[in-house]
Amino acid sequence: MSLLNLTAAQLTKAASIVAEIERLNAELSELSGSSGPVPSPAQVPAMTSAAVETVKVPGKRGPKKGGMSAAGRAAIAAAQKARWAKHRQNGFKVESPKIEASKLGRPVKRKMSAAGRARIIAAQKARWAKAKAGK
């Protein structure tokens, strides 16, 4: 797009942007203490490859840390198996007392007695009666 095709409003806006850039460049050179013009981004040397590698990119994770070798995992597993074997020798039972194995190897399902169910039903009916009486 050339300057010849711009409208008067666009040229006025462009002139104000150029003035703002010159004002900001002057402020920047005042802060940096240099009296010369501020170099453009094209004049600034490119970052080295080492500097580019240290720049963090959002959403990307760094190298994996704290991994464990297969030999380390095997050593931990062997030590844990030895601990459990020692417990079993001392009469420690691995099975939970709540779970009894059935013939199929699954835990036996616990059932509620008829008397227990009747007590729960009676208590619930009493709660509903009390709630309806309060209305």
Side-chain angles (χ1 to χ4, degrees):
M1 186 169 180
S2 70
L3 292 176
L4 297 174
N5 296 335
L6 295 177
T7 64
Q10 289 173 330
L11 284 173
T12 307
K13 184 162 176 113
S16 68
I17 291 172
V18 169
E20 181 71 15
I21 290 172
E22 288 174 358
R23 186 190 65 77
L24 290 172
N25 276 338
E27 189 177 332
L28 183 61
S29 62
E30 187 179 304
L31 286 174
S32 66
S34 65
S35 59
V38 177
S40 69
Q43 295 170 336
V44 176
M47 294 175 68
T48 63
S49 62
V52 171
E53 288 175 6
T54 59
V55 174
K56 292 192 175 192
V57 177
K60 285 200 171 187
R61 292 185 179 179
K64 184 179 176 184
K65 296 179 184 177
M68 187 182 298
S69 67
R73 281 192 299 276
I76 291 172
Q80 187 61 41
K81 285 179 183 179
R83 279 189 216 94
W84 277 109
K86 185 178 177 182
H87 277 292
R88 285 188 194 105
Q89 285 176 354
N90 295 335
F92 180 81
K93 291 186 178 180
V94 177
E95 295 87 20
S96 172
K98 293 181 181 178
I99 299 175
E100 299 173 7
S102 70
K103 294 178 183 176
L104 300 175
R106 287 186 237 139
V108 174
K109 189 171 180 179
R110 299 174 79 187
K111 296 179 183 177
M112 185 181 296
S113 68
R117 183 165 162 74
R119 281 194 306 271
I120 291 173
I121 291 171
Q124 189 62 34
K125 283 183 179 179
R127 278 188 218 107
W128 276 109
K130 184 178 178 183
K132 287 180 182 177
K135 284 188 178 181

